[in-house]
Every structure is written in structure tokens, then in C-alpha cells.
Amino acid sequence: EAQVTQNPRYLITVTGKKLTVTCSQNMNHEYMSWYRQDPGLGLRQIYYSMNVEVTDKGDVPEGYKVSRKEKRNFPLILESPSPNQTSLYFCASSLRSNYGYTFGSGTRLTVV
Amino acid sequence: EDQVTQSPEALRLQEGESSSLNCSYTVSGLRGLFWYRQDPGKGPEFLFTLYSAGEEKEKERLKATLTKKESFLHITAPKPEDSATYLCAVQAIQASGGSYIPTFGRGTSLIVHP
């Protein structure tokens, strides 16, 4: 089944404790991105990648890192999480940047 | 700055009562307009991409249309299972040839009562 897989689905952590949210797609898509979704603000792009070793900032990149060492994987790293990073996070992929995205099921992160 | 505004914010319909959702946008040049459906607690599900004014696409009870300033998602004879939040996103042509960050609207929450 064609899909984007994120892990974990739920995560509660403490301020400052580094964490990684994994994302993997099995569709050989070139384009991958990370979004956060907050009530009243909608979906905002954090980082995106147009191919292996090619990443760039989205609208809200502060406090996040990404890497794209393999085509299928695009992990999101929070080096020192803070409470304002509490949110619902989605990974998405598409064959081309102007095609529709396939989204993962989401990761609900709470930073206390 | 690219802007996407969806209206109404919320819509309640009776089963079988057709209606339309609106997505108005302001971009310097449109590269693509996307419609998604999102169920509570789940990731958005891709519905349609529209690339140029006049284009239309259909899927079951949904039909998306595009003009130079707005897009409509028409829902014909909706059923309770059509209840969801519908998101519109716009991707602009970048003069610099750089990034293609899509801008999402805040969505329309649709509830269809049996």
C-alpha cells in the first residue's frame, strides 16, 4: 500500500530533551515536507526537500532540523524542544513539487 | 504575500442539500491549487489539483472549479460521510525560480446531518 509512515503517533517530552520524529514513504517520491498544524493557524510548512541531500526552509523552520540522506526517509529533529513546539505534525510527500501531497497520519507532540 | 481565504469557516447541511465551499486566493502567478479533505485526528487526504482558470475536476459527489481569483468545491447531494474539514492550498510561481512553499487556507468544517 502506498503510504507515508510517521512515528511515533503520540509523544510527550520535557523541555530541552532532543527528539526525532521519523517519516518514511514507499512511493519513490522526490519531494517531501514537514508541516505543523495548530488551531486557528492552519497548516504551516516547516522544511521541505526536493531530493536527496537537498533541503530548504519553509515558513516556520526555527527550532527544527531535517536531513534527507535517503530518498524514502525525511526525519524531523527537535534539538531542544520548547512548549511552543507543542503541535500536531505531518509529514507529506509528492512525486513533484506541484503535485498533490500524500500525508502521514500525524504525530501529536506535547512539550512540558 | 500569497493569501488563501476559505469560506465559510463552518457549514451545516442536511443530507441531500447541495452547496459550495469557496477558496479565494491572491498570488502573483498560480502554479497549482489543491483541495484536501481532513478527518479529525488524521492527515489531509488529497482530492484535486487545478492548474489553470476554467479547469474542472470531479470525484463522486465533489466537483472543483477554478477561476483567476477563486476556486469552488461543489458538493452535490452530500451524505453524512462527507462530513470533514476541507482544505484549500495554493502554490505560486516563484519569479526567482526558487522554493515552492504552498500556502494553506484554514479550512471549511462541513457537517452533514442525516
Side-chain angles (χ1 to χ4, degrees):
Chain A
E1 180 188 353
Q3 60 185 357
V4 175
T5 303
Q6 292 179 231
N7 281 297
R9 286 295 310 277
Y10 301 92
L11 180 59
I12 300 174
T13 190
V14 296
T15 299
K17 185 177 181 181
K18 180 179 178 180
L19 66 91
T20 299
V21 184
T22 64
C23 173
S24 179
Q25 51 95 2
N26 63 358
M27 296 165 282
N28 202 35
H29 284 172
E30 290 184 354
Y31 191 87
M32 298 185 75
S33 60
W34 276 102
Y35 287 85
R36 61 179 289 173
Q37 189 173 37
D38 303 288
L41 295 177
L43 277 164
R44 293 179 293 167
Q45 193 176 68
I46 303 170
Y47 268 95
Y48 68 96
S49 168
M50 298 190 79
N51 215 323
V52 175
E53 302 293 359
V54 181
T55 63
D56 205 350
K57 297 176 181 178
D59 290 325
V60 288
E62 295 77 21
Y64 304 95
K65 285 177 57 177
V66 293
S67 67
R68 186 97 180 269
K69 294 183 170 55
E70 304 168 280
K71 197 170 187 178
R72 62 183 293 127
N73 296 324
F74 190 45
L76 179 69
I77 302 159
L78 284 72
E79 294 270 4
S80 183
S82 62
N84 64 10
Q85 292 178 297
T86 293
S87 186
L88 180 57
Y89 291 86
F90 290 104
C91 180
S93 73
S94 66
L95 188 60
R96 299 282 185 269
S97 61
N98 65 334
Y99 285 24
Y101 299 148
T102 300
F103 279 82
S105 298
T107 296
R108 187 168 291 282
L109 172 66
T110 301
V111 183
V112 298
Chain B
E1 182 181 327
D2 301 337
Q3 290 193 338
V4 180
T5 303
Q6 292 188 244
S7 61
E9 287 187 15
L11 181 62
R12 292 177 179 269
L13 299 173
Q14 288 297 127
E15 185 172 2
E17 180 186 2
S18 301
S19 188
S20 297
L21 313 182
N22 177 263
C23 173
S24 62
Y25 63 91
T26 306
V27 295
S28 54
L30 183 67
R31 195 163 184 257
L33 184 142
F34 309 89
W35 282 100
Y36 292 86
R37 169 195 169 123
Q38 186 174 23
D39 294 300
K42 296 188 176 181
E45 174 190 349
F46 171 68
L47 294 173
F48 305 109
T49 307
L50 301 167
Y51 293 106
S52 58
E55 191 174 357
E56 299 182 352
K57 288 194 177 172
E58 288 188 65
K59 180 181 179 179
E60 296 180 356
R61 294 177 293 281
L62 302 177
K63 179 180 177 180
T65 62
L66 181 65
T67 72
K68 289 187 177 180
K69 294 183 179 181
E70 58 192 350
S71 176
F72 290 94
L73 184 65
H74 306 278
I75 304 177
T76 302
K79 298 182 178 182
E81 54 261 42
D82 294 322
S83 298
T85 295
Y86 290 86
L87 301 171
C88 169
V90 167
Q91 197 171 58
I93 295 171
Q94 302 295 320
S96 62
S99 67
Y100 300 109
I101 300 174
T103 301
F104 276 81
R106 297 184 181 183
T108 293
S109 174
L110 172 67
I111 297 176
V112 182
H113 296 285

